[in-house]
Amino acid sequence: MPNNSLTSSSNTNAAAIRALQMELKSLQSQPIEGFKVVCDEDNLFKWTVAIFGPPGTLYQGGYFKAVLTFPTNYPYSPPSMRFIQPVYHPNVYPSGELCVSILHPPVDDPQSGELSSERWNPTQTVRTVLLSVISLLNEPNTSSPANVDASVSYRKYKEEGDQEYANIIRKQVDKSKEEARKDKVVVPETIEDYVVPTKIAATNNNDVIDMDEDYYDDGASDTTDVPESEHAEDSGQGDED
């Protein structure tokens, strides 16, 4: 008799692989600003993500690498995310593990203070996870910190202007630049370089329009001027025979 549990596990793996292949293709064709995603196609369940610190923040110029690990029943269970380099942040454990609601399993946990709607659900994607990470970098959740010391330091920085938190982040940013040089990665440090140009397909499906170019007309009419003589002929107002 066939082993139903093995068959079910195989089907689950195949579904997860298909989902991850589609997401990887989407991220390659439509990248997210502030991220570089690298995946070994021999192991789709583990991705390396490079996070570029957003310009105008303490993390500007930073290059922080993390590993996304996916379960075999993805997307029904969330991935986990762990920073490879030290990241001093209220929502990052000293081990590097990221603590954010969107990566928590969809179970009721009244002790966590999280709403079930804030947790993972199968409609979430890697794209939504990465966008949440950028948001969390700039606006930590200090109500349930993973790193209590970092949380206290951050609150002093925001409320009292204490610079300890900022100084630690700047040192980590400087250290991360060494890693970027090793990887031969140029980290964007201006808004212009950081933002990914938005492209839309043209109607003939062969061209791509770059929305950063002068796409819109300057107000000139598209109608070609027609000589008055032609107007006259068309309206039957030419010279009589």
Side-chain angles (χ1 to χ4, degrees), residues 34-196:
F35 292 93
K36 179 181 179 182
V37 177
V38 178
C39 173
D40 182 353
E41 293 189 5
D42 290 334
N43 183 8
L44 280 171
F45 292 96
K46 185 170 288 187
W47 297 10
T48 299
V49 179
I51 303 169
F52 302 140
T57 71
L58 290 176
Y59 295 92
Q60 177 174 323
Y63 176 73
F64 300 97
K65 292 199 294 187
V67 174
L68 269 173
T69 304
F70 299 88
T72 54
N73 66 338
Y74 181 84
Y76 299 101
S77 293
S80 62
M81 187 170 185
R82 181 180 61 82
F83 284 95
I84 299 172
Q85 303 141 274
V87 175
Y88 189 69
H89 189 279
N91 304 116
V92 178
Y93 288 102
S95 65
E97 199 78 18
L98 177 67
C99 180
V100 59
S101 299
I102 197 174
L103 294 182
H104 293 163
V107 296
D108 289 330
D109 183 5
Q111 301 299 322
S112 69
E114 296 174 344
L115 299 175
S116 58
S117 59
E118 297 173 333
R119 290 172 168 253
W120 178 264
N121 68 68
T123 64
Q124 304 285 10
T125 63
V126 174
R127 188 179 297 273
T128 57
V129 168
L130 296 183
L131 291 173
S132 295
V133 171
I134 281 292
S135 176
L136 195 68
L137 278 180
N138 297 326
E139 298 180 12
N141 176 9
T142 57
S143 62
S144 55
N147 186 327
V148 176
D149 290 342
S151 179
V152 171
S153 182
Y154 173 78
R155 292 177 68 174
K156 286 183 178 179
Y157 166 69
K158 294 296 289 184
E159 297 170 7
E160 304 171 15
D162 187 279
Q163 291 299 302
E164 179 187 28
Y165 183 82
N167 290 336
I168 292 174
I169 298 301
R170 291 189 184 105
K171 287 179 181 178
Q172 291 186 339
V173 167
D174 289 341
K175 186 71 175 175
S176 74
K177 290 180 179 180
E178 297 177 11
E179 192 70 22
R181 284 191 288 270
K182 289 180 185 177
D183 290 350
K184 298 181 180 179
V185 171
V186 178
V187 179
E189 296 203 37
T190 66
I191 292 293
E192 291 75 16
D193 292 334
Y194 187 84
V195 174
V196 177

